[in-house]
Amino acid sequence: MANKWLSEAFKGEVPKDFQGKVGWASPSNIALVKYWGKKGKQIPQNPSISFTLSECRSETFVTYEKADHFGFRFFFDGMENPAFGAKIEKFLLDRQAFSPFINQLSLTVESQNTFPHSSGIASSASSMSAFVMCLMDIERSLSLSKGRPIDLDLQKASYFSRLASGSAARSVFPKMALWGATPYYEGSSDEYAVSLENDILPVFKTYRDAILIVSGETKSVSSRAGHALMEGNPYAPARYAKANENIKDLLAALQSGDLDTFINITESEALQLHALMMCSNPSYILMKPNTLNLINEIREFREETKIPLCFTLDAGPNVHLLYSESEAEKVEELIKNELVNYCVEGRWIADRVGNGPKKLL
Ligand code: PMV
């Protein structure tokens, strides 16, 4: 696939009057089977599955014009951010074989997130995928200007997004995505994610994710460092074997609607992710006391009411509470009456499964 995209890349002369502005919104995603540990160039040690979110998005606009050489400026929330700009610039220059035309463009990127900066929600998946969608849209206009219309290829967007930030590979697809090669899903790949939209029951397409904000602080250990620590983790081989098994069982549950298995795998994956952090060298803990308080409350409520809600965690202390649309009223009562007491300033975000990137301009 990568070779196909390499050979198809627009390599011609950019027209002198080529200029414009594109805009894309792209969502964050929450993994059910976690990607934790990588090799080579952003290749995952095990496959992962996620819900694409809806409310937590990055909105990115790119103004472009023909230039003698590559120019790049990055603004976040209206303020120039040279550090993040340098990261994206490096990503672009490292991958220019796929988009040689960028050497003839000057780009100004303006990005913002719909979720608060201090919500502890990682924005690399949404911001990188939004930026990649803009880049591909520019390539599309360029091809069109030469009379060669091309479609926006989501597989290619996923490939590019993965190179920028692993989990971003999954954000470009509606509803649910699988990233990583597995014998249990035909067409799956380590290089890009694939859509699971047509292989899951309708109930999962409207799932809710209430993000309970336990802390808005930036995490003390980055994902990059966390992935790297898996290299020396003595439990890594067992973890990768278990993740592969969980992929098989979760794929089956998403098709059969077996919610006990769905809950069992989702919660176990969250706890395994944090257990791996606790037994890496050096060890570290990202959960906070209120993370555990919320987990206990959620499990107690499930036990008492038999409502099949469950939790997952990202690489941070916040709790993602997952439940079906049909249970929303009862679960949201629980959130407002009980769970907000464990949230910083009572904050939570009502998110839900979404439709992937959206063109803004
Ligand atoms: O994409 P990265 O490098 O930020 O890693 C993300 C890892 C987790 O969010 C913890 C799990 C996942 O699969 O999204």
Side-chain angles (χ1 to χ4, degrees):
M1 258 327 189
N3 283 341
K4 175 174 170 262
W5 295 322
L6 260 178
S7 64
E8 278 175 4
F10 181 92
K11 300 184 189 74
E13 182 76 16
V14 173
K16 269 200 188 59
D17 59 350
F18 185 67
Q19 59 170 8
K21 187 171 180 178
V22 290
W24 280 83
S26 189
S28 186
N29 67 76
I30 181 70
L32 303 179
V33 174
K34 309 290 182 182
Y35 148 58
W36 200 238
K38 59 179 160 182
K39 54 192 174 190
K41 279 201 171 166
Q42 300 276 94
I43 296 299
Q45 289 280 11
N46 64 262
S48 54
I49 288 180
S50 58
F51 276 132
T52 300
L53 296 180
S54 168
E55 300 307 310
C56 292
R57 313 182 289 278
S58 294
E59 295 174 344
T60 302
F61 294 88
V62 180
T63 310
Y64 56 92
E65 63 178 334
K66 160 83 177 165
D68 294 335
H69 46 77
F70 179 58
F72 191 80
R73 292 183 77 185
F74 182 84
F75 294 81
F76 184 73
D77 275 347
M79 299 260 288
E80 186 147 25
N81 185 329
F84 195 67
K87 215 173 133 185
I88 301 195
E89 188 173 342
K90 183 174 180 317
F91 158 72
L92 278 177
L93 294 176
D94 284 355
R95 268 94 212 175
Q96 58 186 306
F98 287 92
S99 42
F101 60 90
I102 57 157
N103 282 324
Q104 303 174 57
L105 289 181
S106 169
L107 306 177
T108 303
V109 183
E110 295 158 279
S111 195
Q112 60 187 42
N113 295 332
T114 56
F115 45 97
H117 194 53
S118 58
S119 60
I121 297 172
S123 66
S124 62
S126 55
S127 61
M128 287 304 184
S129 53
F131 174 67
V132 166
M133 292 307 291
C134 289
L135 197 65
M136 293 192 47
D137 212 1
I138 295 172
E139 185 174 30
R140 180 166 68 170
S141 300
L142 200 47
S143 292
L144 202 60
S145 75
K146 296 275 182 179
R148 289 194 300 266
I150 53 168
D151 287 333
L152 266 188
D153 181 345
L154 286 187
Q155 222 80 81
K156 182 175 166 183
S158 175
Y159 175 89
F160 265 120
S161 301
R162 176 202 114 228
L163 291 171
S165 167
S167 57
R170 298 185 308 241
S171 270
V172 303
F173 295 104
K175 314 300 183 193
M176 293 193 85
L178 161 74
W179 169 41
T182 166
Y184 308 112
Y185 199 83
E186 214 185 310
S188 57
S189 168
D190 280 345
E191 297 202 314
Y192 47 82
V194 292
S195 171
L196 289 182
E197 191 181 7
N198 296 327
D199 291 296
I200 59 173
L201 288 182
V203 62
F204 297 112
K205 297 182 189 180
T206 55
Y207 240 63
R208 303 290 178 101
D209 176 8
I211 309 171
L212 308 167
I213 313 293
V214 168
S215 165
E217 286 167 25
T218 323
K219 55 192 174 187
S220 52
V221 181
S222 69
S223 292
R224 177 191 290 261
H227 285 293
L229 284 173
M230 281 302 282
E231 277 164 37
N233 193 313
Y235 301 99
R239 159 63 195 158
Y240 301 143
K242 188 68 199 164
N244 276 290
E245 215 178 279
N246 283 344
I247 287 283
K248 173 174 172 253
D249 295 341
L250 184 63
L251 282 170
L254 293 169
Q255 289 191 2
S256 68
D258 173 356
L259 283 183
D260 287 342
T261 301
F262 175 86
I263 290 171
N264 195 10
I265 292 176
T266 301
E267 294 194 346
S268 160
E269 278 286 324
L271 296 176
Q272 278 178 50
L273 171 69
H274 284 260
L276 289 164
M277 297 171 191
M278 291 187 214
C279 62
S280 64
N281 185 13
S283 61
Y284 61 107
I285 303 175
L286 295 184
M287 289 192 283
K288 301 275 188 213
N290 277 344
T291 311
L292 295 179
N293 286 329
L294 283 166
I295 290 175
N296 288 335
E297 290 277 349
I298 291 164
R299 287 187 158 178
E300 255 172 46
F301 181 80
R302 184 168 69 224
E303 192 60 35
E304 274 166 24
T305 62
K306 306 294 173 216
I307 292 176
L309 77 182
C310 66
F311 70 86
T312 187
L313 306 168
D314 211 342
N318 299 330
V319 175
H320 290 246
L321 178 57
L322 304 173
Y323 49 99
S324 71
E325 192 170 43
S326 61
E327 308 287 8
E329 211 173 304
K330 286 183 211 132
V331 177
E332 282 163 21
E333 219 167 277
L334 169 76
I335 297 172
K336 287 173 193 155
N337 293 340
E338 304 280 343
L339 304 186
V340 287
N341 296 323
Y342 302 101
C343 299
V344 60
E345 293 159 7
R347 277 163 48 203
W348 65 287
I349 297 173
D351 213 332
R352 57 177 68 205
V353 169
N355 292 323
K358 189 166 166 257
K359 188 167 165 64
L360 300 174
L361 189 73

